[in-house]
Amino acid sequence: MVLPTVLLRIAVRWLLSCYTAAKKLRNYGFLLYKSPAAVARSQQSPAAAYPGVDKCPLQGRAGQTVVFDVENTLLRSPSLFPFFMLVAFEGGSVLRAFLLLLCYPLVWAFTRCGAARGSQMGLCLMAFVTFCGLRKRDAETAARAVLPKFFLEDLHLHAYEAVMSAGRKVAVTTLPRVMVEWFLREYLGVDDIVSADLDLFAGGGRFTGLFSTNNAVKKSRVVKELVGGDAKPDLGLAGGSDPDDHLFLSLCKEAYVVTKEVSTKVGTSSAAARVVPRKRYPKPLVFHDGRLAFLPSPSATLALFLWLPFSVLLSIIRIVTAMAAPSGLAIFLGACIGNHLRVNGLHLTDNRYVPQRGGGEESHGTQASDEGGRSRRQRGVLYVCNHRTLLDPVVLSISLGKPLTAVTYSLSKVSEILSPISTVRLCRDRERDGATMHRLLGEGDLAVCPEGTTCREPYLLRFSPLFAELTDEIAPVGMESEVTMFYGTTAGGYKWMDPFFFLMNPRTMYRLHFLGRVPREATCASGRSSRDVANDMQRRLADKMGFECTTLTRRDKYLVLAGNDGVVVPPVPSPSVVPVVVPPASAHVSADGGGGGGSSSTSEGGGWQRH
């Protein structure tokens, strides 16, 4: 009986909403279009009565209280549609995202014809399409792993500075609490959040898509309830578009208005001046998840769905090209179909790329002679790379113009079959992994990613020291990748689709920085510890690419993005596997480490440090 009751509530609410919308469209349909002059006149009163937020002094507010409107003050985007689309696409499915896109014309009509009431109806429609039937766990994951990146990139600089200058922060928003609470508390340190909750079905695992209370929050009422009595908040920030803004601002000791007319003009210097730079973020954005690499506005989302059919075909063509064509031809054909490759630090010798040794020597052969002139086989070169995508070893092999072997912990069967180079699985047993990598170096060149997992942002995770104990023929290689539409990595999605998503981008870019062979005195052969060598490799790569070193690990990443430690059970369990205990990111670590690219890598310092 519970499900029919909920469905009846949904039907009644939507019938009432449609009836109200029909009345407004009938009576005011000819006013759907408002001239720019009329819009300016309708928004003049608060802006004319109060100064802009850029005039707000920031000093001496540590003991003060600020009340602000999230969507009309803190965020620069004029629409909330992109954030609902992110939840629908990343937490739901492509079908749910497509349905939300189809509903946008109705959302736009509600917003244009009904002022505050119409905006509320449009918000309810987007919330219903996005959350109806969506698992609570998926919505919370999207809010924790996907939305913070886009919220940070959409922050209004002056409003952000004013909010962060206050000691106590009170946020008022019409967005569902599940979308904004984690970001506001973890990144901005907000003390109180006033927002509406979404109803759950009887089991408590899925949303109904309906607000449990009226989502039209009155800021003036919030001030009276939270501050209490005749007291006034020290600082109030509003956008000026809400009819309640004037009353709300009049209740604050100091009031400032945030206007969006200039900041929404993309590409202008004024808009760029209102973007919060990465170095000003309240905490470093090291990890984030999700497939979309852009803010999905209505027009951008439409372009996404128009591109999807062509992108699937393009990814197949790119995969076939990489598998079938020789390396030189693959680079040329890849550039013709949008896969661009830039290589620094290599020179061409004997029709193949050869890394330059630190001292300027040129040395790369499979045969060498001892003092008596006898021929002996040299061990292979160990290429130490930071990890951007699953395609890093493939791109490295194409750049070198020769095959090599890559070691990995978890690789899907699909990726293993499609890989044009040899791949070998590790099992997170230090001794067995070390023996495996030592044997592979005796057979040829080897590529290893000591971070143990991918990182999208300009940071380097902690390096495992195991690789430093295997050989003194080490060549660090810095990897940088750029995408325009899709990310080719995921922590909570289908990993076998990672290379497909990367190759579905209209344009991709890989930059490889070869630092040359490491001098012998910088390796373990000179008596240095493996931990010191690993830290040195991390610093060398960070300095070359302008990245920042961290002590974060694979475990830290998966705890943030997926809620687990990221350990994949090996296909053949072994009783000799030694469990690895990873200390907190801020702790100093002993010289012992885990597997070749595992989560027990080492680096000095706590959390993260700048270079």
Side-chain angles (χ1 to χ4, degrees):
M1 293 299 295
V2 175
L3 182 59
T5 303
V6 173
L7 294 178
L8 181 60
R9 287 179 56 196
I10 294 173
V12 171
R13 288 194 185 186
W14 279 106
L15 285 175
L16 292 175
S17 299
C18 292
Y19 174 73
T20 305
K23 287 179 61 178
K24 290 183 178 295
L25 288 173
R26 182 188 64 183
N27 296 329
Y28 306 106
F30 60 93
L31 295 177
L32 282 176
Y33 172 76
K34 297 182 181 180
S35 65
V39 173
R41 284 195 301 270
S42 66
Q43 297 180 352
Q44 255 181 355
S45 52
Y50 300 97
V53 71
D54 56 326
K55 303 296 192 300
C56 176
L58 305 178
Q59 292 77 20
R61 296 191 180 277
Q64 297 184 357
T65 299
V66 60
V67 181
F68 63 96
D69 183 355
V70 174
E71 52 269 16
N72 295 320
T73 300
L74 200 60
L75 301 180
R76 295 181 296 112
S77 177
S79 172
L80 297 177
F81 175 86
F83 305 107
F84 282 99
M85 177 56 69
L86 286 168
V87 177
F89 190 93
E90 306 292 359
S93 62
V94 176
L95 177 60
R96 185 184 292 270
F98 184 68
L99 291 177
L100 181 60
L101 178 64
L102 293 180
C103 292
Y104 179 73
L106 188 56
V107 173
W108 179 87
F110 283 154
T111 305
R112 296 293 294 180
C113 74
R117 175 62 178 170
S119 299
Q120 180 185 355
M121 293 171 58
L123 183 69
C124 290
L125 177 58
M126 289 190 293
F128 180 78
V129 176
T130 301
F131 287 97
C132 183
L134 185 66
R135 292 188 301 182
K136 182 181 179 181
R137 181 182 60 187
D138 294 337
E140 291 174 344
T141 300
R144 182 180 65 249
V146 179
L147 290 180
K149 170 187 181 293
F150 296 95
F151 281 145
L152 288 171
E153 293 177 349
D154 200 47
L155 288 177
H156 190 289
L157 176 59
H158 300 309
Y160 164 74
E161 291 175 336
V163 169
M164 298 303 291
S165 66
R168 183 190 178 197
K169 308 174 185 66
V170 179
V172 182
T173 178
T174 57
L175 286 168
R177 180 181 295 271
V178 68
M179 290 179 62
V180 296
E181 183 173 22
W182 197 89
F183 169 74
L184 292 177
R185 295 197 187 278
E186 293 294 326
Y187 278 87
L188 303 186
V190 173
D191 301 282
D192 298 293
I193 301 173
V194 182
S195 64
D197 292 314
L198 292 169
D199 279 334
L200 294 169
F201 283 107
R206 294 181 182 270
F207 290 104
T208 64
L210 302 176
F211 286 98
S212 57
T213 58
N214 187 2
N215 68 309
V217 180
K218 296 293 184 182
K219 290 182 282 291
S220 57
R221 185 184 306 167
V222 170
V223 170
K224 296 177 181 178
E225 292 177 355
L226 289 181
V227 178
D230 297 330
K232 294 183 177 181
D234 301 286
L235 180 61
L237 304 177
S241 59
D242 192 330
D244 185 54
D245 285 344
H246 197 286
L247 178 58
F248 158 65
L249 293 176
S250 67
L251 297 175
C252 303
K253 295 178 182 179
E254 291 183 66
Y256 298 92
V257 174
V258 180
T259 56
K260 296 189 178 183
E261 289 82 5
V262 179
S263 64
T264 55
K265 296 179 181 178
V266 179
T268 64
S269 58
S270 300
R274 285 167 168 79
V275 177
V276 178
R278 176 182 291 273
K279 63 181 180 181
R280 300 282 300 276
Y281 285 176
K283 59 190 296 187
L285 179 68
V286 182
F287 303 128
H288 60 87
D289 204 9
R291 293 295 189 182
L292 296 183
F294 63 96
L295 186 67
S297 63
S299 57
T301 306
L302 177 61
L304 164 67
F305 282 101
L306 292 176
W307 170 251
L308 272 180
F310 302 98
S311 66
V312 175
L313 178 61
L314 180 61
S315 66
I316 296 175
I317 294 175
R318 288 170 170 173
I319 290 174
V320 172
T321 301
M323 294 179 62
S327 59
L329 183 60
I331 295 177
F332 172 75
L333 295 178
C336 294
I337 55 180
N339 281 344
H340 299 278
L341 178 63
R342 300 289 182 270
V343 181
N344 300 318
L346 289 180
H347 66 286
L348 195 61
T349 303
D350 294 333
N351 295 324
R352 62 180 179 179
Y353 289 111
V354 178
Q356 299 179 358
R357 197 172 180 90
E361 311 174 29
E362 296 177 8
S363 162
H364 186 85
T366 57
Q367 298 289 331
S369 299
D370 57 17
E371 296 179 356
R374 294 184 300 272
S375 176
R376 62 178 177 82
R377 180 179 178 83
Q378 284 188 337
R379 293 178 57 78
V381 177
L382 181 63
Y383 292 96
V384 178
C385 316
N386 63 305
H387 205 2
R388 304 297 283 181
T389 75
L390 194 64
L391 300 178
D392 291 343
V394 177
V395 176
L396 176 62
S397 175
I398 293 176
S399 302
L400 291 170
K402 61 186 182 66
L404 49 78
T405 303
V407 291
T408 179
Y409 282 135
S410 57
L411 190 67
S412 68
K413 289 294 183 182
V414 175
S415 300
E416 194 170 1
I417 293 172
L418 296 179
S419 176
I421 63 174
S422 300
T423 59
V424 176
R425 292 175 180 267
L426 300 179
C427 61
R428 296 192 183 276
D429 182 307
R430 182 177 178 80
E431 294 184 0
R432 292 175 58 189
D433 290 344
T436 300
M437 296 170 66
H438 190 273
R439 173 179 57 81
L440 294 173
L441 281 170
E443 299 173 357
D445 295 340
L446 182 65
V448 61
C449 299
E451 291 175 291
T453 187
T454 57
C455 183
R456 300 173 176 177
E457 298 300 318
Y459 298 94
L460 293 184
L461 306 185
R462 205 161 58 185
F463 274 27
S464 168
L466 179 59
F467 73 90
E469 303 170 5
L470 302 176
T471 179
D472 60 346
E473 292 293 326
I474 301 174
V477 183
M479 297 275 185
E480 293 185 82
S481 63
E482 296 178 6
V483 295
T484 54
M485 188 170 287
F486 301 107
Y487 285 115
T489 60
T490 181
Y494 297 105
K495 293 185 178 295
W496 67 270
M497 298 186 68
D498 285 357
F500 291 96
F501 269 105
F502 183 83
L503 297 175
M504 284 166 60
N505 284 283
R507 178 182 180 273
T508 65
M509 169 65 76
Y510 247 103
R511 292 187 179 90
L512 272 66
H513 305 273
F514 284 82
L515 276 63
R517 303 276 188 90
V518 177
R520 182 180 176 85
E521 57 269 18
T523 67
C524 292
S526 63
R528 300 183 65 185
S529 68
S530 59
R531 186 182 72 169
D532 290 339
V533 174
N535 291 338
D536 183 53
M537 295 300 103
Q538 185 193 36
R539 283 191 290 267
R540 285 171 181 256
L541 291 174
D543 292 341
K544 181 66 176 179
M545 298 183 292
F547 285 15
E548 297 180 21
C549 294
T550 76
T551 58
L552 300 173
T553 65
R554 172 190 176 96
R555 180 174 181 268
D556 297 314
K557 171 184 172 179
Y558 278 85
L559 284 176
V560 171
L561 302 183
N564 57 62
D565 58 6
V567 175
V568 179
V569 179
V572 181
S574 171
S576 63
V577 172
V578 179
V580 178
V581 179
V582 181
S586 59
H588 291 277
V589 185
S590 65
D592 295 333
S599 59
S600 57
S601 48
T602 61
S603 177
E604 296 177 352
W608 66 291
Q609 60 243 18
R610 294 187 184 276
H611 279 260

